Amino acid sequence: MSTHDYLRQRFFPHMWCPGCGHGTVLNSLLRAVEQLGMSKNEIVMASGIGCSSRISGYVDFHTLHTLHGRALAFATGVKLSKPELNVIVPMGDGDALAIGGNHFIHACRRNIDITAIVMNNRIYGMTGGQFSPMSGVGINATTAPFSNIDREFDVVKMATAAGATFVARSTTFHAQQATDLIKQAILHEGFSVVEILSQCPTHFGRKNKLGAAADMMQHYKDITVPIGSSKKKDNPDLIERGIFVQEEAPEYCREYDKIIEQAMKG
Amino acid sequence: MAKKKKLKQHHIDRDWCKGCGICVHFCPKNVLELDEMDKVFAARPEDCIACKLCEIRCPDLAIEIETEEGGS
Amino acid sequence: MSTQVKFVQGNEACVEGALYAGLDFFAGYPITPSTEIAELLSRRLPMAGGKFIQMEDEIASMAAIIGASLTGHKVMTATSGPGFSLMQEALGYAVMAEIPCVITNVQRGGPSTGIPTHGSQGDVMQARWGTHGDHAIIALTASNHQDVFAMTIEAFNMAETYRTPVILLFDEIVGHMREKLEVPEPGEIPLVERLRTSVKGGVNYHPYLPREDGRLPMSDFGDVHRYNVTGLYHDMWGFPSSDPDVVHGLIRHLVDKIENRTNLLARYKEHHLEDAEIVMVSYGSAARSALHVVKNRRLRGERLGLLELQTLWPFPKDIVREKCANAEAVVVVELNMGQVMQEVKKAVDFPERVFLANRIDGVFITPMDIRKLLRLIQGKGV
Ligand code: SF4
Ligand code: SF4
Ligand code: SF4
């Protein structure tokens, strides 16, 4: 199958703005699914609310477009009730970490076999450019007209601390790497988190004078380094890309199967 | 990209392309350009090395590189 | 296996009913006074091959059961007061996306944390209008354990039949009280199973296109049909639409599929209504005291009757109107400030003769409380 076979092509061109990184994330994700040779019927995609969450409408899987921040909770019900399904949950940064923060950390903690993709553009795009928990200090947003004083989360650190057993990061510039990480995340048995830095040229870019979409992607190239790069020693502000956590741990659905076995013995 | 493939054709979906310029900007061989309608076209296809960087980064899934071996 | 006789709490009767109905997925969060339901199911479900999960909050619990319903399971969550408030967002989603599921609310006193260990019937209106936007809902209740069992099964049957969330509105008093329960043999009470589409793979399946009889066949996530589920207004494939005709058609469908069946969905019990001069209307634990008063007064020859409502929503207004038509006075007995009384007033021709016997102090309403009001109505002084 080609990547386009996984699309609901009748809805294209999609609703995202020209140059929106979310389209590139969709592109990377489809390549991962295609390279793994997955069938459309074995995948459930659950998403929340926001620009990012519209992704579920465009893919020809079983798709569940849920509530703001709650996608992982819906996905947990899907996965536990039918563990043979592959469940992928793309989320925006506000979606995953502000309103959905509690669901996020608990999904990490349970280590349920779900692939979470955080499409991090550091802004609320759909509502017009308010700061998110990922914006960080000094950013301009419609709700931070005098510059933002809210400190940001580090998704990788948070997912790691909360117990996710696969944690990785890439960017839309590094689309090849993003595809590779998503592939590994899908194959990983347990809760996996892939953060992908994704540009919102319309709001984040414009308000912070970061130029066109391509300039923002170029910026991702400049501000990131592979994990362990010596450049990070000279410039601690550089953001690392790659796999931070990849470990085996008891997976929730399998553990529950053991509970059933035990309970049925009486 | 495991082994080098040769370009056969650029497939560009003009309805899907939004003219964001990402593919143009990052093409290592300066093959692509935007036309007066802000749609991408292969201005110098003979220079293309079929690296597919345009294809994998396009946010609109609007450009595909077909190679001689028939791979896409 | 023959009929099992048990001596149980109301919450356990609900568990028995749910398991009898085929519940195989439960998600919940601990909260007084419904916690026993989760505790019991955490043991009973895996014993039967089903699944129980304790989620991080009630929002997640509601979300998880919706997810599990979509893979083809019979699902339930249980909560109380503040937890029910948290569930309203996803409850609206279940209404919009037409997801069969059962939500048990063992009511306690509110608002807010209120009075967790005491009974109340203060959530009647929240069950109706707690989630935002126009919609219809089914809510059932019961006054004794045999009926808690029966109504729980009804809830699952209605949820499957109409592809809708159904609320079980019990109260702390019934939930924690112990009495006898007879669990009938499997097969004795008819069950409604999930209606799955007969459309073959590769053929266009419309998850949101009602059949002639109004039912909407489903397809489990993971099966051959791939479709979209959303809380947005959507077309018959489940894809978002803001076309005014689609929006109008969907909201009408969501409301009509329930409101047009008000009489069909009505569950109630009649006690001595044939010649009643005073009709009491009550439900849940309050109906126990009302029934006690009716029985006593009948012994003295007084013409009292009781209409015990088991379906609260859609409100059975035609039935209330008919049963109260010949009454001189109607007394609504409930543990709130008149939430059902207002509906009764709207239903009958003589709202000025509808009275309220209630308690709102967390204490169970006694026959004595009701008698006091009756003396007033009957002109016998205080
Ligand atoms: S507003 Fe930003 S995030 Fe939303 S579609 Fe446009 S570019 Fe993408
Ligand atoms: S990246 Fe895609 S959408 Fe942007 S100009 Fe190139 S083909 Fe068009
Ligand atoms: S395949 Fe590579 S060289 Fe050819 S047009 Fe695309 S980016 Fe340029």
Side-chain angles (χ1 to χ4, degrees), chain A residues 8 10-11 41 60-65 70 73-74 77-78 80-82 85 103 106 110 252 256 263-264, chain C residues 47 51-53 56 59 63-64 67-68 70-71 73 89 93 221-223 225-230 232 239:
Chain A
R8 288 166 172 154
R10 62 189 180 284
F11 298 128
N41 278 339
D60 192 13
F61 308 142
H62 304 281
T63 54
L64 185 53
H65 178 233
R70 321 281 177 227
F74 283 79
V78 169
L80 180 60
S81 65
K82 205 169 192 174
L85 291 169
H103 307 306
H106 287 278
R110 273 185 209 106
Y252 194 83
Y256 200 87
M264 281 181 137
Chain C
M47 284 168 70
K51 285 173 180 170
F52 164 94
I53 185 168
E56 54 272 20
I59 301 171
L70 280 165
T71 64
H73 294 82
E89 182 194 30
Y93 184 94
F221 269 20
D223 278 358
H225 300 292
R226 296 178 303 278
Y227 56 95
N228 190 52
V229 178
T230 178
L232 290 164
F239 291 107

Side-chain angles (χ1 to χ4, degrees), chain A residues 110-133:
Chain A
R110 273 185 209 106
N111 195 35
I112 187 163
D113 187 12
I114 290 174
T115 306
I117 299 171
V118 181
M119 304 154 82
N120 178 10
N121 60 16
R122 305 172 66 194
I123 200 104
Y124 289 91
M126 188 155 271
T127 45
Q130 299 74 32
F131 71 86
S132 87

Side-chain angles (χ1 to χ4, degrees), chain B residues 10 27-28 31-32 48-52 54 65:
Chain B
H10 290 83
C27 172
V31 173
L32 306 167
C48 175
I49 52 168
C51 67
K52 296 196 182 185
C54 51
I65 303 300

